[in-house]
Amino acid sequence: VERMYTKDQILNLYLNESPYGGRRNGVESAAQTYFKKTAKELDLAESALIAAIPNQPGLYDPYRGDHEALIRRQHLVLDSMKSIGYITQAQADEAKKVAILDRIRPEAEQLKDVKAPHFVLMVRDQLEQELGKTTVGRGGLTVKTTLDWRIQKKLEEAMKRMFDSSIPANAGFENGAATVEDVKTGQIVALMGSRDFNYPGFGQNNAATAYIQPGSTIKPLVFAGLFSNHGTEAQNFGSGSILADDRGADALYGASLKNWDSRYMGNINLRRSLALSRNIPAVKAMYINGVQPTLDLVRAAGDKGYCTQGVEAQAGLASAIGGCGAKQVEHVNAIATLARMGTYKPYSTVLEVKNGQGDTLVKYKDESKQVIDPQAAYIVNDILADDNTRAGLYGRNFYGLVVPGVKTSAKTGTSDLG
């Protein structure tokens, strides 16, 4: 570089063209973005922070990078300035005392005009993991995603309608997240990580990628495991098989196990057990099939992180009724595996990534693997589409679960976390 450019030219590039985290290039852009000031209005602490970023823009990005590393780098800048006589030791010490990260403008302000911000940030995080923060932070990439803006707009409108209604207050919740996947491809076509990215307090948190208990929505995969078990004749189960909804599971569970209504329905078949979301038959189903084999199926279907976080790995039979955390994006994909008649496809958000030279860095691949017996998947799908049997739980067409002219399988679920 020094053979091609003079020192002044190199400095000019650093000041005007070098990346300063994310999409920001040059000190003026960084000053406006992070502090809402012009570069000449920055004080010593602010200037030192910005001067620290170009060394590794991905690592030192004030929004997405390592804050501790950024502060260490800022202090190094101040020490260097003192060592060559630009500032005094007292000035350096005073600048280091400034809680500089508290002055950074909220990231939401930078994304207020960005469409589908939760999805965009999720894709960026995934690309940073795959390509490295330096490559992504340098910029110049052309990214083609799986997002369908028409579907995204409909999703956002539906979310707004719901929170404008009485449903949240009546049901006792204040936030929402949604993931829409194209079942045939595994591609995520719409996503909202909260009710509104600009909602005060938690709007910027992406609940679609957070570990939250899925509650009874895990049961279809548990029953799919039981239906897939083709061992001895006594182990062959179908939708007409009986697993009593009674106190018989208490000894297996190690505690008093109840249903959502604190009632027991006695001898009911598995079609009614799943359609009516009974806890006790679900626990028995996992016990018969085996806890580990069932969890192996759940993870193979797409719920990669289910019952893997800390003490949750020891959840045992509680995992049959949603006692562990799951990421919504993974859980949606696991349920989509049922819709694909037991064929797993990794969920995807990116179709193609090219760099500034036109080289392809990432390309979507259609991968698949049969992980659930197709007959088992068919039985579960059929049960979840049976509005007549489900009517005993919520009544017919609960919250629009039935789509006229389309056979639609659906499962509700609740937990202490929403």
Side-chain angles (χ1 to χ4, degrees), residues 372-406:
I372 299 175
D373 186 322
Q375 296 181 55
Y378 177 85
I379 294 171
V380 171
N381 294 340
D382 188 64
I383 293 172
L384 298 181
D386 187 349
D387 193 53
N388 291 326
T389 304
R390 185 172 53 223
L393 181 62
Y394 296 119
R396 296 184 186 280
N397 196 19
F398 175 70
Y399 281 128
L401 295 183
V402 176
V403 180
V406 180

PDB file of all heavy atoms in Angstrom, residues 372-406:
ATOM      1  N   ILE A 372     -38.356 -38.975   9.611  1.00  0.00           N
ATOM      2  CA  ILE A 372     -39.562 -39.487  10.270  1.00  0.00           C
ATOM      3  C   ILE A 372     -40.292 -40.393   9.294  1.00  0.00           C
ATOM      4  O   ILE A 372     -40.377 -40.088   8.092  1.00  0.00           O
ATOM      5  CB  ILE A 372     -40.503 -38.337  10.716  1.00  0.00           C
ATOM      6  CG1 ILE A 372     -39.803 -37.419  11.729  1.00  0.00           C
ATOM      7  CG2 ILE A 372     -41.794 -38.883  11.333  1.00  0.00           C
ATOM      8  CD1 ILE A 372     -40.631 -36.203  12.125  1.00  0.00           C
ATOM      9  N   ASP A 373     -40.796 -41.497   9.783  1.00  0.00           N
ATOM     10  CA  ASP A 373     -41.579 -42.420   8.955  1.00  0.00           C
ATOM     11  C   ASP A 373     -42.708 -41.642   8.283  1.00  0.00           C
ATOM     12  O   ASP A 373     -43.500 -40.975   8.955  1.00  0.00           O
ATOM     13  CB  ASP A 373     -42.149 -43.520   9.853  1.00  0.00           C
ATOM     14  CG  ASP A 373     -42.866 -44.607   9.068  1.00  0.00           C
ATOM     15  OD1 ASP A 373     -43.553 -44.274   8.082  1.00  0.00           O
ATOM     16  OD2 ASP A 373     -42.759 -45.787   9.442  1.00  0.00           O
ATOM     17  N   PRO A 374     -42.825 -41.678   6.961  1.00  0.00           N
ATOM     18  CA  PRO A 374     -43.876 -40.932   6.265  1.00  0.00           C
ATOM     19  C   PRO A 374     -45.276 -41.274   6.763  1.00  0.00           C
ATOM     20  O   PRO A 374     -46.150 -40.393   6.815  1.00  0.00           O
ATOM     21  CB  PRO A 374     -43.698 -41.345   4.796  1.00  0.00           C
ATOM     22  CG  PRO A 374     -42.276 -41.779   4.699  1.00  0.00           C
ATOM     23  CD  PRO A 374     -41.944 -42.402   6.023  1.00  0.00           C
ATOM     24  N   GLN A 375     -45.503 -42.548   7.124  1.00  0.00           N
ATOM     25  CA  GLN A 375     -46.822 -42.924   7.634  1.00  0.00           C
ATOM     26  C   GLN A 375     -47.100 -42.234   8.970  1.00  0.00           C
ATOM     27  O   GLN A 375     -48.224 -41.790   9.237  1.00  0.00           O
ATOM     28  CB  GLN A 375     -46.903 -44.440   7.803  1.00  0.00           C
ATOM     29  CG  GLN A 375     -46.780 -45.214   6.494  1.00  0.00           C
ATOM     30  CD  GLN A 375     -46.881 -46.706   6.712  1.00  0.00           C
ATOM     31  OE1 GLN A 375     -47.841 -47.204   7.294  1.00  0.00           O
ATOM     32  NE2 GLN A 375     -45.872 -47.441   6.248  1.00  0.00           N
ATOM     33  N   ALA A 376     -46.063 -42.146   9.819  1.00  0.00           N
ATOM     34  CA  ALA A 376     -46.229 -41.465  11.109  1.00  0.00           C
ATOM     35  C   ALA A 376     -46.527 -39.990  10.898  1.00  0.00           C
ATOM     36  O   ALA A 376     -47.394 -39.409  11.570  1.00  0.00           O
ATOM     37  CB  ALA A 376     -44.975 -41.648  11.951  1.00  0.00           C
ATOM     38  N   ALA A 377     -45.803 -39.358   9.961  1.00  0.00           N
ATOM     39  CA  ALA A 377     -46.042 -37.947   9.671  1.00  0.00           C
ATOM     40  C   ALA A 377     -47.461 -37.732   9.146  1.00  0.00           C
ATOM     41  O   ALA A 377     -48.146 -36.774   9.532  1.00  0.00           O
ATOM     42  CB  ALA A 377     -45.014 -37.443   8.651  1.00  0.00           C
ATOM     43  N   TYR A 378     -47.916 -38.639   8.293  1.00  0.00           N
ATOM     44  CA  TYR A 378     -49.270 -38.521   7.737  1.00  0.00           C
ATOM     45  C   TYR A 378     -50.323 -38.595   8.845  1.00  0.00           C
ATOM     46  O   TYR A 378     -51.280 -37.809   8.860  1.00  0.00           O
ATOM     47  CB  TYR A 378     -49.523 -39.626   6.712  1.00  0.00           C
ATOM     48  CG  TYR A 378     -50.932 -39.594   6.154  1.00  0.00           C
ATOM     49  CD1 TYR A 378     -51.241 -38.767   5.073  1.00  0.00           C
ATOM     50  CD2 TYR A 378     -51.949 -40.352   6.730  1.00  0.00           C
ATOM     51  CE1 TYR A 378     -52.535 -38.713   4.573  1.00  0.00           C
ATOM     52  CE2 TYR A 378     -53.245 -40.291   6.238  1.00  0.00           C
ATOM     53  CZ  TYR A 378     -53.535 -39.479   5.155  1.00  0.00           C
ATOM     54  OH  TYR A 378     -54.817 -39.415   4.670  1.00  0.00           O
ATOM     55  N   ILE A 379     -50.151 -39.527   9.782  1.00  0.00           N
ATOM     56  CA  ILE A 379     -51.121 -39.679  10.874  1.00  0.00           C
ATOM     57  C   ILE A 379     -51.179 -38.408  11.708  1.00  0.00           C
ATOM     58  O   ILE A 379     -52.270 -37.907  12.034  1.00  0.00           O
ATOM     59  CB  ILE A 379     -50.761 -40.888  11.759  1.00  0.00           C
ATOM     60  CG1 ILE A 379     -50.904 -42.189  10.970  1.00  0.00           C
ATOM     61  CG2 ILE A 379     -51.652 -40.935  13.002  1.00  0.00           C
ATOM     62  CD1 ILE A 379     -50.365 -43.407  11.697  1.00  0.00           C
ATOM     63  N   VAL A 380     -50.012 -37.873  12.065  1.00  0.00           N
ATOM     64  CA  VAL A 380     -49.977 -36.655  12.873  1.00  0.00           C
ATOM     65  C   VAL A 380     -50.622 -35.495  12.120  1.00  0.00           C
ATOM     66  O   VAL A 380     -51.449 -34.752  12.676  1.00  0.00           O
ATOM     67  CB  VAL A 380     -48.525 -36.303  13.253  1.00  0.00           C
ATOM     68  CG1 VAL A 380     -48.461 -34.911  13.897  1.00  0.00           C
ATOM     69  CG2 VAL A 380     -47.951 -37.345  14.208  1.00  0.00           C
ATOM     70  N   ASN A 381     -50.282 -35.330  10.858  1.00  0.00           N
ATOM     71  CA  ASN A 381     -50.873 -34.243  10.065  1.00  0.00           C
ATOM     72  C   ASN A 381     -52.383 -34.351   9.997  1.00  0.00           C
ATOM     73  O   ASN A 381     -53.106 -33.346  10.084  1.00  0.00           O
ATOM     74  CB  ASN A 381     -50.297 -34.257   8.641  1.00  0.00           C
ATOM     75  CG  ASN A 381     -48.816 -33.925   8.597  1.00  0.00           C
ATOM     76  OD1 ASN A 381     -48.282 -33.325   9.529  1.00  0.00           O
ATOM     77  ND2 ASN A 381     -48.145 -34.324   7.532  1.00  0.00           N
ATOM     78  N   ASP A 382     -52.872 -35.582   9.833  1.00  0.00           N
ATOM     79  CA  ASP A 382     -54.309 -35.797   9.727  1.00  0.00           C
ATOM     80  C   ASP A 382     -55.013 -35.449  11.033  1.00  0.00           C
ATOM     81  O   ASP A 382     -56.080 -34.829  11.031  1.00  0.00           O
ATOM     82  CB  ASP A 382     -54.589 -37.248   9.340  1.00  0.00           C
ATOM     83  CG  ASP A 382     -56.054 -37.490   9.025  1.00  0.00           C
ATOM     84  OD1 ASP A 382     -56.554 -36.895   8.049  1.00  0.00           O
ATOM     85  OD2 ASP A 382     -56.705 -38.256   9.773  1.00  0.00           O
ATOM     86  N   ILE A 383     -54.402 -35.822  12.154  1.00  0.00           N
ATOM     87  CA  ILE A 383     -54.998 -35.496  13.451  1.00  0.00           C
ATOM     88  C   ILE A 383     -55.063 -33.986  13.640  1.00  0.00           C
ATOM     89  O   ILE A 383     -56.080 -33.437  14.087  1.00  0.00           O
ATOM     90  CB  ILE A 383     -54.173 -36.134  14.596  1.00  0.00           C
ATOM     91  CG1 ILE A 383     -54.283 -37.661  14.543  1.00  0.00           C
ATOM     92  CG2 ILE A 383     -54.643 -35.623  15.960  1.00  0.00           C
ATOM     93  CD1 ILE A 383     -53.355 -38.381  15.504  1.00  0.00           C
ATOM     94  N   LEU A 384     -53.969 -33.295  13.289  1.00  0.00           N
ATOM     95  CA  LEU A 384     -53.902 -31.852  13.506  1.00  0.00           C
ATOM     96  C   LEU A 384     -54.796 -31.070  12.543  1.00  0.00           C
ATOM     97  O   LEU A 384     -55.014 -29.875  12.731  1.00  0.00           O
ATOM     98  CB  LEU A 384     -52.458 -31.367  13.370  1.00  0.00           C
ATOM     99  CG  LEU A 384     -51.470 -31.945  14.388  1.00  0.00           C
ATOM    100  CD1 LEU A 384     -50.074 -31.361  14.163  1.00  0.00           C
ATOM    101  CD2 LEU A 384     -51.927 -31.686  15.812  1.00  0.00           C
ATOM    102  N   ALA A 385     -55.312 -31.754  11.518  1.00  0.00           N
ATOM    103  CA  ALA A 385     -56.247 -31.107  10.592  1.00  0.00           C
ATOM    104  C   ALA A 385     -57.698 -31.418  10.941  1.00  0.00           C
ATOM    105  O   ALA A 385     -58.617 -30.933  10.265  1.00  0.00           O
ATOM    106  CB  ALA A 385     -55.953 -31.566   9.162  1.00  0.00           C
ATOM    107  N   ASP A 386     -57.914 -32.189  11.985  1.00  0.00           N
ATOM    108  CA  ASP A 386     -59.248 -32.654  12.356  1.00  0.00           C
ATOM    109  C   ASP A 386     -59.922 -31.645  13.279  1.00  0.00           C
ATOM    110  O   ASP A 386     -59.809 -31.717  14.505  1.00  0.00           O
ATOM    111  CB  ASP A 386     -59.138 -34.026  13.040  1.00  0.00           C
ATOM    112  CG  ASP A 386     -60.493 -34.662  13.294  1.00  0.00           C
ATOM    113  OD1 ASP A 386     -61.520 -33.963  13.145  1.00  0.00           O
ATOM    114  OD2 ASP A 386     -60.523 -35.851  13.664  1.00  0.00           O
ATOM    115  N   ASP A 387     -60.646 -30.698  12.687  1.00  0.00           N
ATOM    116  CA  ASP A 387     -61.291 -29.657  13.483  1.00  0.00           C
ATOM    117  C   ASP A 387     -62.445 -30.207  14.315  1.00  0.00           C
ATOM    118  O   ASP A 387     -62.768 -29.666  15.376  1.00  0.00           O
ATOM    119  CB  ASP A 387     -61.780 -28.531  12.576  1.00  0.00           C
ATOM    120  CG  ASP A 387     -62.178 -27.285  13.354  1.00  0.00           C
ATOM    121  OD1 ASP A 387     -61.348 -26.811  14.149  1.00  0.00           O
ATOM    122  OD2 ASP A 387     -63.308 -26.795  13.168  1.00  0.00           O
ATOM    123  N   ASN A 388     -63.065 -31.296  13.861  1.00  0.00           N
ATOM    124  CA  ASN A 388     -64.170 -31.887  14.618  1.00  0.00           C
ATOM    125  C   ASN A 388     -63.691 -32.431  15.959  1.00  0.00           C
ATOM    126  O   ASN A 388     -64.323 -32.217  16.998  1.00  0.00           O
ATOM    127  CB  ASN A 388     -64.833 -33.009  13.812  1.00  0.00           C
ATOM    128  CG  ASN A 388     -65.573 -32.479  12.603  1.00  0.00           C
ATOM    129  OD1 ASN A 388     -66.133 -31.375  12.646  1.00  0.00           O
ATOM    130  ND2 ASN A 388     -65.573 -33.237  11.510  1.00  0.00           N
ATOM    131  N   THR A 389     -62.567 -33.139  15.931  1.00  0.00           N
ATOM    132  CA  THR A 389     -62.034 -33.672  17.185  1.00  0.00           C
ATOM    133  C   THR A 389     -61.480 -32.557  18.054  1.00  0.00           C
ATOM    134  O   THR A 389     -61.636 -32.572  19.281  1.00  0.00           O
ATOM    135  CB  THR A 389     -60.928 -34.709  16.889  1.00  0.00           C
ATOM    136  OG1 THR A 389     -61.459 -35.721  16.039  1.00  0.00           O
ATOM    137  CG2 THR A 389     -60.424 -35.349  18.165  1.00  0.00           C
ATOM    138  N   ARG A 390     -60.837 -31.576  17.451  1.00  0.00           N
ATOM    139  CA  ARG A 390     -60.245 -30.460  18.195  1.00  0.00           C
ATOM    140  C   ARG A 390     -61.301 -29.562  18.821  1.00  0.00           C
ATOM    141  O   ARG A 390     -61.020 -28.815  19.775  1.00  0.00           O
ATOM    142  CB  ARG A 390     -59.365 -29.645  17.238  1.00  0.00           C
ATOM    143  CG  ARG A 390     -58.586 -28.524  17.883  1.00  0.00           C
ATOM    144  CD  ARG A 390     -57.587 -27.897  16.909  1.00  0.00           C
ATOM    145  NE  ARG A 390     -58.228 -27.493  15.667  1.00  0.00           N
ATOM    146  CZ  ARG A 390     -57.711 -27.705  14.460  1.00  0.00           C
ATOM    147  NH1 ARG A 390     -56.558 -28.315  14.326  1.00  0.00           N
ATOM    148  NH2 ARG A 390     -58.349 -27.302  13.374  1.00  0.00           N
ATOM    149  N   ALA A 391     -62.520 -29.641  18.335  1.00  0.00           N
ATOM    150  CA  ALA A 391     -63.587 -28.767  18.823  1.00  0.00           C
ATOM    151  C   ALA A 391     -63.822 -28.912  20.321  1.00  0.00           C
ATOM    152  O   ALA A 391     -64.284 -27.977  20.981  1.00  0.00           O
ATOM    153  CB  ALA A 391     -64.884 -29.044  18.063  1.00  0.00           C
ATOM    154  N   GLY A 392     -63.504 -30.092  20.865  1.00  0.00           N
ATOM    155  CA  GLY A 392     -63.671 -30.292  22.303  1.00  0.00           C
ATOM    156  C   GLY A 392     -62.714 -29.484  23.141  1.00  0.00           C
ATOM    157  O   GLY A 392     -62.880 -29.386  24.365  1.00  0.00           O
ATOM    158  N   LEU A 393     -61.716 -28.896  22.522  1.00  0.00           N
ATOM    159  CA  LEU A 393     -60.733 -28.097  23.260  1.00  0.00           C
ATOM    160  C   LEU A 393     -61.081 -26.615  23.240  1.00  0.00           C
ATOM    161  O   LEU A 393     -61.176 -25.976  24.289  1.00  0.00           O
ATOM    162  CB  LEU A 393     -59.342 -28.321  22.653  1.00  0.00           C
ATOM    163  CG  LEU A 393     -58.159 -27.601  23.297  1.00  0.00           C
ATOM    164  CD1 LEU A 393     -57.979 -28.049  24.744  1.00  0.00           C
ATOM    165  CD2 LEU A 393     -56.881 -27.887  22.506  1.00  0.00           C
ATOM    166  N   TYR A 394     -61.266 -26.055  22.052  1.00  0.00           N
ATOM    167  CA  TYR A 394     -61.512 -24.620  21.929  1.00  0.00           C
ATOM    168  C   TYR A 394     -62.788 -24.279  21.171  1.00  0.00           C
ATOM    169  O   TYR A 394     -63.102 -23.113  20.986  1.00  0.00           O
ATOM    170  CB  TYR A 394     -60.350 -23.954  21.178  1.00  0.00           C
ATOM    171  CG  TYR A 394     -59.020 -24.025  21.877  1.00  0.00           C
ATOM    172  CD1 TYR A 394     -57.935 -24.665  21.281  1.00  0.00           C
ATOM    173  CD2 TYR A 394     -58.839 -23.444  23.126  1.00  0.00           C
ATOM    174  CE1 TYR A 394     -56.701 -24.727  21.908  1.00  0.00           C
ATOM    175  CE2 TYR A 394     -57.607 -23.496  23.762  1.00  0.00           C
ATOM    176  CZ  TYR A 394     -56.540 -24.137  23.152  1.00  0.00           C
ATOM    177  OH  TYR A 394     -55.329 -24.187  23.771  1.00  0.00           O
ATOM    178  N   GLY A 395     -63.482 -25.282  20.676  1.00  0.00           N
ATOM    179  CA  GLY A 395     -64.588 -25.014  19.779  1.00  0.00           C
ATOM    180  C   GLY A 395     -64.105 -25.087  18.342  1.00  0.00           C
ATOM    181  O   GLY A 395     -62.918 -25.250  18.075  1.00  0.00           O
ATOM    182  N   ARG A 396     -65.009 -24.947  17.415  1.00  0.00           N
ATOM    183  CA  ARG A 396     -64.656 -25.090  16.000  1.00  0.00           C
ATOM    184  C   ARG A 396     -63.965 -23.833  15.463  1.00  0.00           C
ATOM    185  O   ARG A 396     -64.264 -22.721  15.888  1.00  0.00           O
ATOM    186  CB  ARG A 396     -65.906 -25.388  15.172  1.00  0.00           C
ATOM    187  CG  ARG A 396     -66.559 -26.726  15.537  1.00  0.00           C
ATOM    188  CD  ARG A 396     -67.730 -27.031  14.623  1.00  0.00           C
ATOM    189  NE  ARG A 396     -68.426 -28.237  15.059  1.00  0.00           N
ATOM    190  CZ  ARG A 396     -68.010 -29.469  14.796  1.00  0.00           C
ATOM    191  NH1 ARG A 396     -66.906 -29.645  14.076  1.00  0.00           N
ATOM    192  NH2 ARG A 396     -68.684 -30.518  15.231  1.00  0.00           N
ATOM    193  N   ASN A 397     -63.032 -24.071  14.550  1.00  0.00           N
ATOM    194  CA  ASN A 397     -62.299 -23.003  13.868  1.00  0.00           C
ATOM    195  C   ASN A 397     -61.752 -21.969  14.849  1.00  0.00           C
ATOM    196  O   ASN A 397     -61.932 -20.761  14.687  1.00  0.00           O
ATOM    197  CB  ASN A 397     -63.188 -22.316  12.833  1.00  0.00           C
ATOM    198  CG  ASN A 397     -62.368 -21.474  11.847  1.00  0.00           C
ATOM    199  OD1 ASN A 397     -61.173 -21.659  11.709  1.00  0.00           O
ATOM    200  ND2 ASN A 397     -63.031 -20.545  11.179  1.00  0.00           N
ATOM    201  N   PHE A 398     -61.068 -22.461  15.862  1.00  0.00           N
ATOM    202  CA  PHE A 398     -60.484 -21.600  16.885  1.00  0.00           C
ATOM    203  C   PHE A 398     -59.484 -20.636  16.251  1.00  0.00           C
ATOM    204  O   PHE A 398     -58.507 -21.035  15.632  1.00  0.00           O
ATOM    205  CB  PHE A 398     -59.800 -22.475  17.942  1.00  0.00           C
ATOM    206  CG  PHE A 398     -59.053 -21.714  19.002  1.00  0.00           C
ATOM    207  CD1 PHE A 398     -59.743 -20.979  19.950  1.00  0.00           C
ATOM    208  CD2 PHE A 398     -57.671 -21.737  19.058  1.00  0.00           C
ATOM    209  CE1 PHE A 398     -59.069 -20.282  20.937  1.00  0.00           C
ATOM    210  CE2 PHE A 398     -56.986 -21.050  20.037  1.00  0.00           C
ATOM    211  CZ  PHE A 398     -57.682 -20.319  20.984  1.00  0.00           C
ATOM    212  N   TYR A 399     -59.720 -19.322  16.402  1.00  0.00           N
ATOM    213  CA  TYR A 399     -58.856 -18.265  15.871  1.00  0.00           C
ATOM    214  C   TYR A 399     -58.454 -18.504  14.422  1.00  0.00           C
ATOM    215  O   TYR A 399     -57.313 -18.256  14.022  1.00  0.00           O
ATOM    216  CB  TYR A 399     -57.614 -18.103  16.738  1.00  0.00           C
ATOM    217  CG  TYR A 399     -57.860 -17.323  18.011  1.00  0.00           C
ATOM    218  CD1 TYR A 399     -57.489 -17.834  19.245  1.00  0.00           C
ATOM    219  CD2 TYR A 399     -58.481 -16.083  17.973  1.00  0.00           C
ATOM    220  CE1 TYR A 399     -57.723 -17.131  20.420  1.00  0.00           C
ATOM    221  CE2 TYR A 399     -58.725 -15.371  19.137  1.00  0.00           C
ATOM    222  CZ  TYR A 399     -58.341 -15.890  20.356  1.00  0.00           C
ATOM    223  OH  TYR A 399     -58.581 -15.183  21.513  1.00  0.00           O
ATOM    224  N   GLY A 400     -59.364 -19.036  13.633  1.00  0.00           N
ATOM    225  CA  GLY A 400     -59.112 -19.164  12.207  1.00  0.00           C
ATOM    226  C   GLY A 400     -58.146 -20.264  11.830  1.00  0.00           C
ATOM    227  O   GLY A 400     -57.457 -20.166  10.808  1.00  0.00           O
ATOM    228  N   LEU A 401     -58.072 -21.357  12.631  1.00  0.00           N
ATOM    229  CA  LEU A 401     -57.165 -22.454  12.311  1.00  0.00           C
ATOM    230  C   LEU A 401     -57.600 -23.214  11.067  1.00  0.00           C
ATOM    231  O   LEU A 401     -56.791 -23.913  10.454  1.00  0.00           O
ATOM    232  CB  LEU A 401     -57.066 -23.424  13.492  1.00  0.00           C
ATOM    233  CG  LEU A 401     -56.428 -22.873  14.778  1.00  0.00           C
ATOM    234  CD1 LEU A 401     -56.331 -23.964  15.824  1.00  0.00           C
ATOM    235  CD2 LEU A 401     -55.043 -22.295  14.494  1.00  0.00           C
ATOM    236  N   VAL A 402     -58.856 -23.092  10.692  1.00  0.00           N
ATOM    237  CA  VAL A 402     -59.348 -23.751   9.491  1.00  0.00           C
ATOM    238  C   VAL A 402     -59.318 -22.760   8.321  1.00  0.00           C
ATOM    239  O   VAL A 402     -59.879 -21.663   8.411  1.00  0.00           O
ATOM    240  CB  VAL A 402     -60.792 -24.274   9.686  1.00  0.00           C
ATOM    241  CG1 VAL A 402     -61.320 -24.867   8.382  1.00  0.00           C
ATOM    242  CG2 VAL A 402     -60.829 -25.316  10.794  1.00  0.00           C
ATOM    243  N   VAL A 403     -58.655 -23.149   7.235  1.00  0.00           N
ATOM    244  CA  VAL A 403     -58.590 -22.316   6.039  1.00  0.00           C
ATOM    245  C   VAL A 403     -59.503 -22.944   4.991  1.00  0.00           C
ATOM    246  O   VAL A 403     -59.262 -24.073   4.559  1.00  0.00           O
ATOM    247  CB  VAL A 403     -57.152 -22.226   5.481  1.00  0.00           C
ATOM    248  CG1 VAL A 403     -57.117 -21.355   4.229  1.00  0.00           C
ATOM    249  CG2 VAL A 403     -56.207 -21.677   6.548  1.00  0.00           C
ATOM    250  N   PRO A 404     -60.562 -22.267   4.593  1.00  0.00           N
ATOM    251  CA  PRO A 404     -61.507 -22.845   3.637  1.00  0.00           C
ATOM    252  C   PRO A 404     -60.819 -23.317   2.360  1.00  0.00           C
ATOM    253  O   PRO A 404     -60.023 -22.587   1.757  1.00  0.00           O
ATOM    254  CB  PRO A 404     -62.466 -21.676   3.342  1.00  0.00           C
ATOM    255  CG  PRO A 404     -62.385 -20.806   4.559  1.00  0.00           C
ATOM    256  CD  PRO A 404     -60.978 -20.917   5.032  1.00  0.00           C
ATOM    257  N   GLY A 405     -61.108 -24.544   1.963  1.00  0.00           N
ATOM    258  CA  GLY A 405     -60.564 -25.085   0.735  1.00  0.00           C
ATOM    259  C   GLY A 405     -59.153 -25.618   0.828  1.00  0.00           C
ATOM    260  O   GLY A 405     -58.607 -26.130  -0.142  1.00  0.00           O
ATOM    261  N   VAL A 406     -58.535 -25.494   2.007  1.00  0.00           N
ATOM    262  CA  VAL A 406     -57.158 -25.966   2.194  1.00  0.00           C
ATOM    263  C   VAL A 406     -57.092 -26.838   3.436  1.00  0.00           C
ATOM    264  O   VAL A 406     -57.532 -26.428   4.510  1.00  0.00           O
ATOM    265  CB  VAL A 406     -56.172 -24.778   2.357  1.00  0.00           C
ATOM    266  CG1 VAL A 406     -54.743 -25.304   2.553  1.00  0.00           C
ATOM    267  CG2 VAL A 406     -56.246 -23.842   1.181  1.00  0.00           C
TER     268      VAL A 406
END
